[in-house]
Amino acid sequence: MPAAFSGKRLRLLLCLSLSFSLSGGSPADPTMTTQDVNKSQANFLTKMQAGLNESSPERMMATQTVNQQTHGSPSDHLTLGHNISTPGPDLATKVFKQASGGNVSDVTFVEYEVLLPGVSGTSVEKNITLDHGTRIELSCRLDNKYSHLKSLQVTWKRGNETVRHINKTETSWSIQLRISDNSKLGSYSCTLKGEEEISATFHLQVPKIEGKEKPIISYEGDTAIMICKSFGYTPIAWTWYMTNGSEQIAINDTLLANKYVIHRISANVTHMKILKLTKEDSGVYWCEAAFELGKSKGKLKLKVLSLMVPLKPFLAIVAEVVILVTIIFLYEIYSKKKEKSAEAEKEFDQVEQLNSEESNGLENSSARHRKI
Amino acid sequence: MPPPATTGRAPGPPDGGWGWAVVFGAFISIGFAYAFPKGLAIFFKEIQDFFGTSYSEIAWVSSIMLATTYGAGPISSVLVNRYGSRPVVIFGGLLCGIGMVSAASCTSILQLYICVGFITGFGLALNLQPSVIIIGKYFLKRRPIANGLAMAGSPVMLCTLAPLNQFLFDNFGWRGSFLILGAILLNCCVAGALFRPIGPATASVKSQMAEEGKSALKEVTEDAMEMNSPTNVPMGNKTEDEGGKDCCEKINQYLDFSLFKHRGFLIYLIGNVLMFLGFFAPIVFLAPYAKHIGIDEYSAAFLLSILAIVDMIARPTTGIIANSKWVRPRIQYFFSFSIAFNGTCHLLCPLASGYTGLVVYSIFFGLAFGMVCAMLFETLMDLVGAARFTSAVGLVTIAECCTILLGPPIGGTLIDTFGDYKYMFIKCGAVMVLAGTFLFIMNYYNYRMLAKEEKERKVKEDPKQDPVRTENEGRNNWNKETAQDGPELEPLRQEQEGLKKEVNGTNEV
């Protein structure tokens, strides 16, 4: 397996280079070494450009020598130009990439580019989500209007380790990575040191899973359904956990089939049904999606309430309704009674009036009628 | 002893007093009827996840509710004709409450359709019609204001229900929320309790009238109460009406189908049915459209809030404007204008670019929407008269039911086919401008015909000054006027004249 082979070789080289560095390296004549370095570097570079694929031990040795020799004088590297970075395992990785054969022509790098702002202090960040192993190329490009800035030192780093980069153009620099497992993920940053420092960071991550921020509310004896979705990326497997104190315990739905039912509805969606809820089922649940490059979790909260909880406001409002209706009806009866008594009085008055009118004579009344 | 002309009109609306309490009750009732189906949308996502259904299956709940609320209109009218507004609203409130409480313990989507869709929808229908009807009974001169205020209940309730529903959902889940919403809907019973029956109320009136006048008015008021006999049935006594030998008569007793011969009613019906095709779709699609052109979710929701707030202010204001002496006689023109204005807003919407444009559109849309809604029932009352309004509103709502339900899906299909929202706006705008123009022209024609009929009637009546004016004739006069289509102000004056003549007549006996 080429991978295993390159892994072994890589480890070998690592050990060797480390041992040499630890031993302090030989304080050879700087000029001599640098010239050697130059030559071997040049050789190396041309060989790379030629795209040779053979993996010969001599090449390893040559590079080893390079490692060995150049290690003693790091300062010279800087003066030589911005292409050279301190040797490290990644250099070898690059070699291996070339050497592992057959892949150069059909290597498709997924490219992510970031345009650097000219202003220092502001840091540009880019999040890249990867769910399976790929080769990627991360590049930092400086806007053309800043191309007047000379003497720029470009460093690519991951954490504290430097990654060897290539000059794509005069104003862009990139690194090429092969992401094959979780350890390769992380933050890679490019820094341009000139008069001011400009930097950009790429965050390589597994896809995030969203849970629910608000708690799911359910009732005792009822069923609760929890749903987790992955957006865009298909996980290999889903696992559900419940929190017991501070630990997370995986939920085994075959074991407790009458309590938990886990369904994978579609490739990106998982359902978990919790049946016959009790108060103890309240708490935090996690849904974990396993991707090739790692795992990602989503958080869900469940609250189980007793039936009494909504019943109290319900009864309060019903009581309010009954009271209001009673008040309105009572008021109506009261005002009707008032009206009736007022009418009775009026009628009495009118009867009296009529009597007095009749006593005044018919003529007056007819006159009044006609007046209408 | 002179019976004052005003008390002579016993079913005379008080235009105030307890009427304002009735307006408040109608405010609550109408608010629930219109806002509740929209407010339920907050729960749909959770219910969809719970029952594992698709979005369209959940949307059916809302559609069934809306369809039942509008479709049960005639049943509501029949019940109001029979029992009066108050018992119907109280029963409706109870039904809503029962529906939601039983929905809280549903275990399938079908049960939700029945509990929330049918039962609650029917309860809301029993709330909506009587509230509108009773305003017509309590108000005449200030009716547009009363209508505007009562219809303002819809946006106010929507603005209250939306955050309330969210709060309930966050604290009680959907089942608990349905339980509590059931209790909240019981407040419709409180609104119903406020709907004091009004009618021949007037024990005081009876005692003041002369004998014949009294009995004439009594029968007249009872006719007004039943308000169903078609014009061709001779205005006999009460017993004849209640006998109802013919089955047509019996049906007409409950639901006045003779309205379909009524010119004003037909104009209103056709115009409104056309209008509703494009009325609700823009609201439904405003937020998705905003998201489509790149506005974030919260700002899109805020557009709807702007719409609701402008709507809230526009409705009572329109009521006040419609009540002014310049507009009231020509209220139909005002109504057609507001529909056309609404349509123009929609036609101009695709030109709105960016968030500011949409905000402006929302404001104008809210204004137009409020204007149309405030006058929706007022114009019908104006055309048909308070007497036959009960049946009219039932028939109108069931006719509108179809187009209301068709509007948003047609809009949705347009959007899906063309992939662009502008065709939906153009369609809605065109339909509404068409409806507005139609109503304008037809109402112009209607006003002219009414004026002509008025003149003819005046010419006929003058020579008819018989020395012996029987009660029947007097009643005929009065009833012809009530059954007469036309702007209410005319019959108002006519009634007064007619009564005066009556009294004169009786005296001359």
Side-chain angles (χ1 to χ4, degrees):
Chain A
M1 290 304 300
F5 173 79
S6 51
K8 251 196 193 165
R9 288 284 174 183
L10 175 60
R11 259 175 264 134
L12 180 63
L13 266 171
L14 260 170
C15 292
L16 284 166
S17 52
L18 271 171
S19 55
F20 278 112
S21 57
L22 281 171
S23 62
S26 49
D29 187 358
T31 39
M32 278 295 287
T33 47
T34 45
Q35 270 175 3
D36 278 350
V37 164
N38 229 354
K39 235 195 278 174
S40 41
Q41 280 272 348
N43 278 343
F44 177 63
L45 280 168
T46 46
K47 290 245 164 79
M48 265 180 61
Q49 280 156 12
L52 276 175
N53 297 342
E54 54 264 26
S55 62
S56 44
E58 299 97 60
R59 286 200 62 61
M60 303 304 163
M61 294 314 289
T63 45
Q64 219 180 316
T65 334
V66 167
N67 283 346
Q68 201 183 343
Q69 283 173 331
T70 54
H71 191 78
S73 45
S75 52
D76 288 324
H77 294 181
L78 295 175
T79 53
L80 274 172
H82 42 252
N83 262 353
I84 301 173
S85 52
T86 47
D90 287 356
L91 181 61
T93 322
K94 221 192 248 193
V95 173
F96 283 124
K97 250 199 289 212
Q98 296 295 312
S100 51
N103 287 344
V104 177
S105 48
D106 48 86
V107 135
T108 38
F109 288 93
V110 181
E111 237 192 84
Y112 297 93
E113 188 177 85
V114 144
L115 192 62
L116 291 172
V119 185
S120 72
T122 54
S123 176
V124 181
E125 311 225 342
K126 194 176 176 87
N127 287 331
I128 300 169
T129 317
L130 301 167
D131 69 327
H132 60 276
T134 43
R135 299 171 195 276
I136 58 169
E137 180 173 339
L138 307 172
S139 40
C140 286
R141 185 161 67 84
L142 195 59
D143 206 352
N144 284 330
K145 54 185 177 184
Y146 300 108
S147 53
H148 62 276
L149 293 172
K150 299 281 184 232
S151 67
L152 284 171
Q153 275 172 25
V154 178
T155 31
W156 279 87
K157 276 193 177 164
R158 179 187 171 210
N160 284 329
E161 316 161 19
T162 312
V163 180
R164 194 166 189 276
H165 66 272
I166 51 173
N167 274 15
K168 273 174 67 182
T169 67
E170 261 191 29
T171 51
S172 75
W173 307 268
S174 65
I175 56 171
Q176 293 175 338
L177 304 165
R178 183 179 178 184
I179 312 293
S180 53
D181 60 60
N182 200 23
S183 59
K184 297 283 186 304
L185 296 172
S187 301
Y188 292 83
S189 58
C190 71
T191 322
L192 270 69
K193 278 204 190 77
E195 292 145 10
E196 306 161 333
E197 189 172 302
I198 312 166
S199 69
T201 322
F202 293 87
H203 298 286
L204 301 180
Q205 319 160 313
V206 282
K208 282 212 167 53
I209 304 291
E210 270 178 33
K212 262 203 185 148
E213 296 144 20
K214 291 197 191 151
I216 300 170
I217 300 189
S218 202
Y219 292 91
E220 288 170 357
D222 197 8
T223 312
I225 297 194
M226 304 198 166
I227 301 178
C228 262
K229 286 191 193 141
S230 156
F231 297 100
Y233 302 95
T234 309
I236 303 170
W238 288 98
T239 324
W240 285 90
Y241 294 90
M242 71 177 188
T243 324
N244 193 356
S246 56
E247 330 175 328
Q248 292 180 6
I249 306 170
I251 297 176
N252 189 345
D253 61 330
T254 44
L255 199 60
L256 301 157
N258 57 348
K259 178 80 176 170
Y260 299 101
V261 178
I262 301 181
H263 265 310
R264 190 162 174 175
I265 302 291
S266 70
N268 290 0
V269 182
T270 179
H271 276 199
M272 176 168 76
K273 260 195 223 183
I274 309 179
L275 310 165
K276 299 196 207 88
L277 287 167
T278 60
K279 273 257 163 90
E280 289 86 41
D281 290 318
S282 305
V284 178
Y285 289 80
W286 300 88
C287 65
E288 188 184 71
F291 295 97
E292 201 181 303
L293 291 173
K295 295 186 180 174
S296 167
K297 277 197 190 151
K299 183 177 175 184
L300 294 119
K301 273 187 270 185
L302 178 67
K303 246 200 214 172
V304 180
L305 303 171
S306 86
L307 288 163
M308 290 298 125
V309 176
L311 208 59
K312 286 189 218 139
F314 174 77
L315 290 173
I317 299 176
V318 171
E320 167 247 326
V321 167
V322 168
I323 292 173
L324 280 177
V325 172
T326 325
I327 292 177
I328 293 172
F329 277 125
L330 285 175
Y331 177 68
E332 191 170 321
I333 295 174
Y334 166 73
S335 52
K336 272 210 181 122
K337 273 198 199 148
K338 248 175 88 174
E339 235 181 79
K340 274 199 189 140
S341 59
E343 277 169 27
E345 276 183 36
K346 255 199 229 165
E347 274 191 36
F348 185 65
D349 290 337
Q350 279 169 5
V351 165
E352 281 196 12
Q353 213 183 6
L354 267 170
N355 289 337
S356 61
E357 280 172 14
E358 280 172 7
S359 66
N360 280 346
L362 211 59
E363 285 178 26
N364 282 348
S365 60
S366 56
R368 226 170 275 125
H369 275 202
R370 250 177 253 119
K371 267 197 212 155
I372 303 159
Chain B
M1 164 196 60
T6 41
T7 52
R9 304 179 53 249
D15 270 315
W18 188 250
W20 297 117
V22 170
V23 167
F24 179 68
F27 176 91
I28 294 186
S29 216
I30 292 176
F32 275 125
Y34 281 123
F36 193 73
K38 293 182 206 162
L40 274 189
I42 293 178
F43 300 109
F44 283 171
K45 180 83 182 43
E46 182 74 13
I47 296 177
Q48 183 188 337
D49 288 338
F50 188 82
F51 288 117
T53 58
S54 67
Y55 181 71
S56 60
E57 285 181 341
I58 292 288
W60 269 108
V61 173
S62 218
S63 306
I64 292 179
M65 197 180 209
L66 208 59
T68 324
T69 309
Y70 278 94
I75 303 177
S76 203
S77 299
V78 165
L79 288 172
V80 172
N81 272 335
R82 186 83 176 75
Y83 297 108
S85 285
R86 177 186 259 174
V88 178
V89 176
I90 294 182
F91 178 63
L94 282 173
L95 212 57
C96 288
I98 293 172
M100 289 309 285
V101 168
S102 53
S105 55
C106 273
T107 50
S108 81
I109 191 86
L110 194 62
Q111 290 176 4
L112 263 186
Y113 287 158
I114 297 173
C115 293
V116 178
F118 281 117
I119 299 182
T120 315
F122 187 57
L124 289 177
L126 293 180
N127 266 312
L128 179 59
Q129 324 283 55
S131 316
V132 179
I133 291 169
I134 203 163
I135 292 180
K137 288 196 191 155
Y138 265 89
F139 287 89
L140 182 59
K141 278 188 274 173
R142 298 212 203 132
R143 202 175 54 202
I145 298 181
N147 261 315
L149 279 172
M151 295 299 279
S154 171
V156 168
M157 275 296 164
L158 188 61
C159 281
T160 331
L161 269 182
L164 180 71
N165 278 357
Q166 189 63 49
F167 169 78
L168 285 176
F169 177 64
D170 289 339
N171 285 300
F172 297 104
W174 69 271
R175 287 198 196 268
S177 304
F178 277 8
L179 190 68
I180 296 177
L181 280 174
I184 292 177
L185 279 176
L186 281 179
N187 278 303
C188 291
C189 294
V190 176
L194 287 169
F195 292 165
R196 229 183 254 180
I198 190 168
T202 64
S204 48
V205 177
K206 276 190 207 165
S207 56
Q208 285 178 9
M209 297 304 284
E211 262 285 298
E212 288 104 355
K214 182 173 83 174
S215 52
L217 275 157
K218 193 166 148 198
E219 293 192 71
V220 146
T221 55
E222 265 145 7
D223 279 333
M225 271 291 281
E226 285 173 336
M227 307 189 184
N228 332 330
S229 334
T231 37
N232 47 14
V233 169
M235 294 302 151
N237 352 2
K238 192 166 97 176
T239 46
E240 219 177 281
D241 285 327
E242 275 190 1
K245 305 143 198 136
D246 198 338
C247 96
C248 272
E249 275 177 37
K250 207 165 192 180
I251 295 177
N252 272 335
Q253 194 174 10
Y254 291 110
L255 202 62
D256 193 358
F257 283 103
S258 74
L259 276 167
F260 284 110
K261 290 190 209 142
H262 190 287
R263 190 176 50 237
F265 177 74
L266 285 173
I267 295 172
Y268 181 86
L269 190 64
I270 297 173
N272 271 39
V273 162
L274 200 60
M275 172 189 76
F276 273 114
L277 262 180
F279 197 52
F280 286 115
I283 302 180
V284 172
F285 291 111
L286 183 61
Y289 175 60
K291 282 186 225 164
H292 176 78
I293 62 176
I295 299 175
D296 66 284
E297 219 175 275
Y298 289 106
S299 309
F302 188 58
L303 284 175
L304 286 172
S305 312
I306 297 176
L307 209 154
I309 293 173
V310 176
D311 190 7
M312 231 188 282
I313 305 171
R315 292 193 194 199
T317 322
T318 315
I320 295 173
I321 296 176
N323 203 39
S324 63
K325 64 174 194 270
W326 303 284
V327 181
R328 186 89 191 264
R330 292 176 265 278
I331 199 171
Q332 303 294 332
Y333 293 143
F334 191 42
F335 185 53
S336 343
F337 161 73
S338 49
I339 296 179
F341 174 54
N342 206 345
T344 338
C345 277
H346 296 325
L347 286 173
L348 292 176
C349 178
L351 298 173
S353 54
Y355 191 58
T356 345
L358 276 185
V359 169
V360 172
Y361 168 72
S362 297
I363 293 176
F364 279 107
F365 184 23
L367 187 67
F369 192 74
M371 281 167 72
V372 173
C373 281
M375 288 195 288
L376 207 54
F377 293 113
E378 171 58 35
T379 41
L380 184 60
M381 276 187 219
D382 184 64
L383 282 169
V384 158
R388 299 162 87 183
F389 180 68
T390 319
S391 314
V393 75
L395 295 170
V396 158
T397 45
I398 200 172
E400 288 168 356
C401 174
C402 312
T403 45
I404 288 176
L405 287 177
L406 282 175
I410 292 181
T413 335
L414 276 172
I415 295 173
D416 288 336
T417 341
F418 292 105
D420 196 350
Y421 281 81
K422 73 169 184 216
Y423 293 104
M424 188 267 305
F425 282 112
I426 292 175
K427 160 238 170 194
C428 293
V431 161
M432 293 191 77
V433 168
L434 186 67
T437 343
F438 171 80
L439 281 172
F440 192 86
I441 297 172
M442 294 309 286
N443 275 309
Y444 174 68
Y445 165 70
N446 192 31
Y447 276 139
R448 288 213 3 214
M449 294 297 288
L450 283 173
K452 232 196 268 177
E453 282 165 13
E454 262 300 299
K455 256 195 245 168
E456 287 172 12
R457 203 184 34 199
K458 273 195 183 141
V459 165
K460 252 195 278 173
E461 275 166 20
D462 281 328
K464 249 193 185 178
Q465 279 287 0
D466 293 345
V468 182
R469 283 174 56 93
T470 59
E471 302 166 35
N472 277 342
E473 264 203 278
R475 240 176 292 121
N476 266 338
N477 230 3
W478 204 94
N479 285 321
K480 227 196 271 178
E481 281 146 12
T482 46
Q484 187 73 353
D485 25 30
E488 280 261 321
L489 292 178
E490 300 255 7
L492 238 169
R493 271 178 265 124
Q494 287 291 331
E495 283 158 12
Q496 288 185 352
E497 283 176 46
L499 274 161
K500 280 191 200 157
K501 286 184 201 152
E502 233 180 65
V503 176
N504 279 336
T506 53
N507 289 328
E508 280 166 298
V509 171

